[in-house]
Amino acid sequence: MNSGLKNPVTKIMAYAILFVWGVSVLYPLLWTLLDSLKNNEQFFSNAPWSLPEFPLLWSNFSYVWSKYNFSRYFVNSIVVTSGSTLLGLLLAAATAYVL
């Protein structure tokens, strides 16, 4: 299978663009995960870019799950995501058939 990127400069530029895109997608997810492991003092401090101090508070996840009925919201998200994906696939298949 020929990738079409024979020129090394083009290949390096493509990989650089993909790397920048990957970092721009993964960085906010990592930042959110690290913020979720902080206590309230660390989270509301004047240093939002700081790393969480040890011990990491994995109990924040169980607290939100039990206190705020997060399981219901999670199931709602799964239902909406599944339904919209199924509808999108059906519409795309019908459109592809027509075209």
Side-chain angles (χ1 to χ4, degrees), residues 72-92:
R72 181 176 181 182
Y73 304 133
F74 184 71
V75 170
N76 286 347
S77 296
I78 296 294
V79 168
V80 169
T81 303
S82 301
S84 62
T85 301
L86 182 64
L87 182 64
L89 283 172
L90 289 173
L91 291 174

Side-chain angles (χ1 to χ4, degrees), residues 3-18:
S3 68
L5 296 176
K6 295 179 182 179
N7 187 356
V9 175
T10 306
K11 193 179 284 191
I12 290 172
M13 288 178 54
Y15 284 133
I17 290 170
L18 288 173

Side-chain angles (χ1 to χ4, degrees), residues 5 13 26 35 49 54 66 80 86 89 92 94-96:
L5 296 176
M13 288 178 54
L26 293 176
D35 274 351
W49 300 98
F54 288 99
S66 61
V80 169
L86 182 64
L89 283 172
T95 304

